[in-house]
Amino acid sequence: MLEFSSRDRGIEFRISAMLCRALLLSALLSLPAQAAVPRLPLRAFFDNAQRAAAQISPDGTRLAFLAPADNDRMNVWVCPVGAPLDSAKLVTHEKIRGVFSFLWSRDSRWILYVHDANGDENFHIFRADPTQPGAKSLDLTHQDSTRADFINIPIETPGQIVVAWNKRDPHCFDPYRIDLATGQATMISENPGDIDSWYADTHGRILGAVAILKNTQTEIRVRPDESSPFKLLATYGYDENAGVHGFSADGTFLYVTSARDSDLTRLVKLDIATGRETVIDQDSVFDVDGPIISDVTHKLLAVGYNKERYFYKPYDPEFKKDLDILGPVHDGDIHFGSSTSDERKWIIAYNSPTDPGATYLYDRDTGKTQFLFRPRPWLTPQVLVDMKPITLQSRDGLTLRGYLTLPKGVAPRNLPAVIDVHGGPWLRNGWGYDAEVQFLANRGYAVLQINYRGSSGYGKKFINAGDKQWGAKMTDDMIDATQWLIDQKIADPKRFAIYGGSYGGYATLAALAFRPGVYACGIDYVGVANLLTFMRTIPSYWETTRQVLYKRVGDPEADWQWLHDHSPVFFADKIQAPLFVAQGYNDPRVNHAEAEQIVAAMRRNRKPVEYMVKMNEGHGFMNPENRLDFYGAMEAFLARYLAPAM
């Protein structure tokens, strides 16, 4: 991992950090099984991982991964497969903001990664040469104030990529084909203004598109070749969760997830000639999460479901054999990463609450696995705690599912507790490692994560039940979950906090303003305070989904009164509990004015409020020093008002 050269200006820091981590790991491994759990330093949870996000090159010769580099920023390192990871060479050199997502080009010649400036989410796509570790990366989408993302990495043209880029119009994305050697970008089609996403066939041609209309219907469009116009194939309601996952090998159908004629999302074949659906797989309780489709044969390997834990239903005999082999290798849910171009070697990571991200190289021909690394080897099952799936009923009869995490070393009675509200809100909590949850449990708090109405994964009736219920029935679900934990005698009703980011930040403010007296304190992390200003400042590149947002949250013109009456900023005088607000100044999703409005309203009403703003962050803190600063302040804030059990 370390490269001893003149450009390693941060080498002393990294050596010191590695020694500290090694001492911490040694101490933890020597703990008796029943010993009291130590109070781990914040860095154990929120500093950079030692290594993460391994990717094998398509030709199978090299391994790339993220690790800290200059200025303690995550960057890409590369070494030969089978070589010690400490021998890896530094390939990217981002010193202001780290790299968080990357992949190999199809010809194994380049490392490709996305990067933005200080959290503004104007992501550009960069190309780095792993054979020239000191060379500067090339920005392939270099126009200012634009955003790009990958559509396809074609097999048949390995020296090219296909990207979506709002270079022409900031409100919508056109597909471009980029030559990786020259950087030349050629627009393939012009977005008519309503296309939300583009899809390539098995030859890398843009032959599919999903459009969102002003009436919130979704259209799937196809064409026979890139010179022909798109034609309508199928239409779906906004809540029918239509999603394209790829073309069949012969191009006669699309793999699509759909809730047409069903409450739950199913995996279907969408016939390109007729537009008719044929159901492939479905569940009786959970939505389909998505298919695993071979990049070589384009056949369906398995269907994934995010149930209480992640579950794969295999459709391919060899893939079933892979699952049987990989299951016993390591505890945790299996996650499939990159593979070689022939799909004979895979990167496998295991997700477990008590052992995050253990990563292996799997050889399908031999059935053998080679351990590569744990991202945070100083965190072990001896000090981390499991998540328990729970189910409860809302006051109006909905089944709410979630996860409960209890601290080790103390009896689960009358504990201080935190309800941790997920963002989205059209997402959901799942089983696995969560740094915030483990940190809070390590500090002695019971942590409850509930998938309130409006969360995804449980059918369209459940997600629709959250429409225009921000600060209303969605908040009631939080209160019902809180009361459930109190009724179980696990939580002390006088020592209960609410915390969340993004929508979870809004949920915190709403609970304190509209249900005062329930929580002893609250923490709003990049959350919405004023629904009217929030809906009027959504990013330009969300334009295709604007009407869906109006349907889910509210139209700032037609629903002005509703949005006003469910905006916590106008009811700050009702808030009784102390509040901590944290915000990234460059946040394009939740404008920094949201935080400033609620802080000003609290101060105007002489309510206790603490405020942290980071000028070099966006929608969440990515730089490690900012994460450590935030969670340190969060720890002190909770301790001041909840008196933790440990």
Side-chain angles (χ1 to χ4, degrees), residues 211-409:
I212 301 178
L213 309 185
K214 293 295 185 182
N215 65 0
T216 71
Q217 286 186 319
T218 294
E219 288 187 353
I220 296 179
R221 301 170 185 169
V222 294
R223 61 184 178 180
D225 55 68
E226 287 187 342
S227 62
S228 298
F230 281 98
K231 294 185 177 180
L232 175 64
L233 176 61
T235 302
Y236 295 85
Y238 87 101
D239 61 348
E240 289 181 331
N241 202 22
V244 174
H245 295 272
F247 284 79
S248 63
D250 60 6
T252 61
F253 68 86
L254 291 168
Y255 291 102
V256 170
T257 47
S258 159
R260 177 190 283 174
D261 303 322
S262 169
D263 179 51
L264 293 165
T265 300
R266 308 175 292 188
L267 179 66
V268 303
K269 292 180 181 180
L270 183 64
D271 189 284
I272 288 178
T274 66
R276 293 175 183 168
E277 291 186 354
T278 302
V279 176
I280 299 174
D281 205 81
Q282 61 186 322
D283 189 72
S284 60
V285 177
F286 299 92
D287 290 334
V288 164
D289 188 56
I292 297 180
I293 301 169
S294 169
D295 211 20
V296 175
T297 67
H298 304 286
K299 293 182 178 179
L300 179 64
L301 301 181
V303 180
Y305 289 93
N306 194 2
K307 300 188 176 187
E308 289 182 345
R309 290 182 56 170
Y310 208 87
F311 169 78
Y312 296 101
K313 183 176 180 179
Y315 270 78
D316 176 78
E318 187 179 12
F319 190 81
K320 182 180 184 306
K321 180 182 176 183
D322 295 326
L323 291 174
D324 292 340
I325 291 170
L326 293 169
V329 169
H330 199 98
D331 182 41
D333 292 346
I334 301 168
H335 287 260
F336 295 90
S338 64
S339 72
T340 52
S341 57
D342 60 2
E343 294 186 339
R344 303 316 301 170
K345 291 184 173 64
W346 283 344
I347 298 293
I348 304 294
Y350 291 83
N351 182 27
S352 164
T354 58
D355 193 358
T359 302
Y360 291 78
L361 177 60
Y362 171 52
D363 189 322
R364 301 180 78 191
D365 292 327
T366 65
K368 294 182 179 179
T369 56
Q370 174 193 347
F371 173 74
L372 296 176
F373 60 80
R374 288 180 174 86
R376 297 177 182 272
W378 48 86
L379 294 179
T380 72
Q382 292 172 292
V383 296
L384 299 179
V385 289
D386 202 3
M387 303 174 90
K388 177 186 176 184
I390 60 100
T391 301
L392 59 98
Q393 297 297 307
S394 72
R395 65 188 65 184
D396 58 353
L398 281 182
T399 297
L400 306 178
R401 293 177 171 84
Y403 298 88
L404 175 62
T405 303
L406 298 173
K408 279 186 176 180

Side-chain angles (χ1 to χ4, degrees), residues 576-641:
Q576 300 173 6
L579 174 65
F580 174 34
V581 177
Q583 179 68 39
Y585 190 80
N586 301 311
D587 190 342
R589 304 188 207 182
V590 178
N591 191 281
H592 62 84
E594 295 295 315
E596 287 152 14
Q597 286 181 74
I598 190 63
V599 170
M602 291 287 287
R603 290 173 176 167
R604 195 163 51 245
N605 285 279
R606 298 182 179 180
K607 302 290 184 176
V609 61
E610 299 176 25
Y611 183 37
M612 174 184 290
V613 60
K614 296 298 183 182
M615 303 303 291
N616 61 344
E617 294 286 6
H619 197 62
F621 297 168
M622 296 300 173
N623 294 321
E625 66 275 13
N626 292 334
R627 293 197 302 267
L628 292 169
D629 195 11
F630 169 62
Y631 288 108
M634 176 179 177
E635 178 178 12
F637 181 83
L638 290 174
R640 190 154 53 248
Y641 298 109

